[in-house]
Amino acid sequence: MSKGDYISLIKENGQLVFTPGGTSMNPILRHHQCPVIIKAADDRTKLKKYDIPFYRRDNGQFVLHRIIGKNKDGFICCGDGQTAPEYGVREDMIFGILVGYYKGDKYIDVKRNTRYKIYSRFWVAIRPIRRVFAKLRSTVAGFGKKRED
């Protein structure tokens, strides 16, 4: 399936199932390992903080990132594996919303799974300090490397 088919398939079928690539949604969605179920979003869809919309940026890139807030320009989104927020995600860019995903054989319903709900709230809450931990981790990893002078 080509990426250009995503929007037409979700409009035709009301949902879309595929396995996304990339690392921006680590740790919950691993690169090409976790099939996702995306439900079509329409005018009645009320998106809120912690939801994961599927949207198309103005440059044509498809993105699956979590809503971490909202302002006058639209939603503020960020991948779970990232720390920098993306501003200005407008409702007209969004055509789907994550309703569930698979971890191995286990299906995770994002509206019903209590562990997932706790994770998503915790992960959003610590986003401002995740950058500090990432820098510490890379600094500590750098100490173990052999320097050549």
Side-chain angles (χ1 to χ4, degrees):
M1 164 175 50
S2 75
K3 288 183 177 182
D5 294 335
Y6 288 154
I7 297 172
S8 59
L9 282 172
I10 203 166
K11 284 181 180 178
E12 287 173 23
N13 301 314
Q15 73 173 18
L16 176 66
V17 178
F18 74 104
T19 305
T23 59
S24 69
M25 283 303 291
N26 277 346
I28 66 160
L29 301 179
R30 303 269 183 209
H31 177 67
H32 292 299
Q33 293 181 23
C34 301
V36 297
I37 295 87
I38 308 291
K39 185 181 105 182
D42 57 28
D43 294 339
R44 296 181 312 272
T45 305
K46 301 295 181 210
L47 296 168
K48 57 192 176 312
K49 189 173 183 177
Y50 311 114
D51 285 343
I52 300 178
F54 193 32
Y55 59 97
R56 189 177 195 174
R57 289 181 176 146
D58 290 334
N59 68 5
Q61 184 180 21
F62 289 94
V63 181
L64 192 59
H65 283 170
R66 186 180 305 283
I67 295 173
I68 61 171
K70 189 173 183 177
N71 65 18
K72 64 178 178 59
D73 297 323
F75 293 105
I76 305 164
C77 294
C78 188
D80 285 3
Q82 301 176 323
T83 57
E86 176 180 359
Y87 295 89
V89 177
R90 303 177 315 272
E91 291 198 27
D92 67 302
M93 298 165 69
I94 298 169
F95 59 92
I97 183 169
L98 179 81
V99 294
Y101 63 97
Y102 286 89
K103 281 282 193 176
D105 293 336
K106 185 174 181 179
Y107 177 70
I108 310 296
D109 182 318
V110 301
K111 297 292 183 196
R112 295 187 176 148
N113 187 290
T114 302
R115 289 180 67 194
Y116 171 82
K117 288 178 183 181
I118 292 168
Y119 159 83
S120 63
R121 280 147 183 80
F122 173 75
W123 206 247
V124 169
I126 68 163
R127 186 193 58 78
I129 62 171
R130 286 196 324 245
R131 180 175 287 161
V132 173
F133 287 114
K135 283 186 180 185
L136 276 172
R137 188 175 59 220
S138 67
T139 301
V140 170
F143 284 127
K145 293 185 179 177
K146 184 178 178 181
R147 286 186 63 185
E148 293 182 30
D149 295 318

